Amino acid sequence: MAEPTEKTIKQLFALSGNICAYPECQLQIVERAGTVTGEICHIKARHAGGPRFDAAQSEEDRHAFANLILLCRHHHKVIDSEPDLYTVDALTEMKSIHENVAGRAETQQDGFFAKVLLNQFRKISIANNSGNVAINSPGAIQAETINVKTTAKKISVSAPPGTIGADQDVSRYVQHLIKRYNEFAGSDLTRKTSFSYGAISRNIESNFGAEWRLLPLEKANAVFEYLQGRIAKTRQARINKGKGYRAFSTYEEFLAKHEC
């Protein structure tokens, strides 16, 4: 299957400055510890049916420098989930502005990083897998897309390093807020529609572009504020406030109380 050349990715990495191209995002493409947290993204989709796919585009142009941009995983999902907002022109301008600001001359090390990014990019199919697949883990399978054929009814994805789900304290507090919201909102007998306990997690994914466990740790405070705001708007929280009771603990209070 066609893919970008190592020379192209080396140039792309140098001009990215090792930073996600999304405006004001400061996440590194490859962290100092060697963890790959960014992805090679296509402005015009790699496959038919993908966002902004151009059937008239040649395979060579599809994987050429002009059609590629480096983004963190979160913003890769954001731009692909809203192709009408993140158009080809918008992404091309985003790429150009970022490269003019963050770009630098190529170094010898960029060749190594290009190899790493291409290893992550390549699609790997795993047949008859009966065990675990580790993504973004030293010594494990590295890929952008992994197809797993299994008889298991459910496949779980462990949160990679640097995400909310990988931080036990932050993850427990998010779960605490979700539980509190469901407790308050689910007890509202004045609701005109049936209550879904899974809706709040889906709302987080819709608002932030990914499942909360897979969001970068830098998004934790924003997720806290979102959930706290949703709790505060529930009928039970308003009743409690009128009685002088608080609806939830702060992150610091939660850690102190549970000795996390």
Side-chain angles (χ1 to χ4, degrees):
M1 184 176 291
E3 64 179 35
T5 66
E6 184 179 319
K7 180 179 179 181
T8 294
I9 302 307
K10 181 179 179 182
Q11 180 187 13
L12 192 69
F13 183 79
L15 290 178
S16 77
N18 193 25
I19 298 292
C20 170
Y22 195 90
E24 298 186 5
C25 182
Q26 293 299 311
L27 290 181
Q28 293 182 317
I29 302 301
V30 182
E31 296 181 347
R32 289 187 177 182
T35 302
V36 181
T37 52
E39 295 178 338
I40 300 170
C41 315
H42 287 72
I43 293 175
K44 294 181 180 180
R46 182 184 184 190
H47 301 296
R52 300 170 299 274
F53 180 75
D54 182 358
Q57 188 180 41
S58 68
E59 279 295 300
E60 183 179 358
D61 288 342
R62 189 161 289 133
H63 299 291
F65 174 82
N67 193 48
L68 302 175
I69 184 171
L70 293 181
L71 297 167
C72 67
R73 293 189 180 95
H74 170 65
H75 284 122
H76 188 182
K77 184 163 185 177
V78 167
I79 68 164
D80 282 356
S81 65
E82 297 188 75
D84 292 337
L85 178 60
Y86 296 99
T87 62
V88 171
D89 288 343
L91 293 180
T92 300
E93 184 175 3
M94 180 193 298
K95 169 184 167 73
S96 178
I97 291 173
H98 180 74
E99 290 174 349
N100 286 333
V101 173
R104 55 168 174 73
E106 293 181 19
T107 68
Q108 188 173 3
Q109 289 182 331
D110 291 340
F112 166 75
F113 292 125
K115 288 184 175 69
V116 171
L117 286 167
L118 278 170
N119 286 339
Q120 182 205 49
F121 174 82
R122 293 183 178 110
K123 180 178 179 181
I124 297 178
S125 295
I126 304 173
N128 301 319
N129 177 66
S130 59
N132 298 320
V133 177
I135 300 175
N136 195 28
S137 177
I141 296 168
Q142 304 290 326
E144 179 191 49
T145 304
I146 295 180
N147 295 328
V148 181
K149 297 179 181 178
T150 176
T151 57
K153 294 183 179 179
K154 183 178 180 181
I155 298 175
S156 60
V157 179
S158 297
T163 60
I164 290 176
D167 188 300
Q168 185 178 20
D169 291 347
V170 175
S171 181
R172 289 177 64 186
Y173 184 60
V174 171
Q175 293 178 69
H176 161 71
L177 292 177
I178 290 175
K179 181 179 179 181
R180 178 55 53 86
Y181 170 79
N182 283 333
E183 176 188 345
F184 280 14
S187 65
D188 186 356
L189 300 179
T190 66
R191 295 179 63 92
K192 296 181 180 180
T193 57
S194 59
F195 180 73
S196 171
Y197 285 88
I200 188 65
S201 294
R202 293 193 294 272
N203 289 340
I204 294 172
E205 182 170 353
S206 177
N207 278 275
F208 291 89
E211 180 185 348
W212 68 262
R213 291 179 178 84
L214 303 181
L215 289 171
L217 199 54
E218 290 80 0
K219 298 289 183 180
N221 285 333
V223 174
F224 293 169
E225 292 174 2
Y226 173 78
L227 286 168
Q228 290 166 354
R230 291 295 300 270
I231 293 170
K233 291 179 181 179
T234 63
R235 183 170 182 270
Q236 186 60 53
R238 294 197 299 270
I239 292 173
N240 288 357
K241 184 178 180 180
K243 295 179 179 179
Y245 301 138
R246 295 169 57 193
F248 51 82
S249 302
T250 66
Y251 177 57
E252 291 74 17
E253 291 168 342
F254 177 82
L255 295 184
K257 180 178 180 181
H258 296 280
E259 298 182 352
C260 295

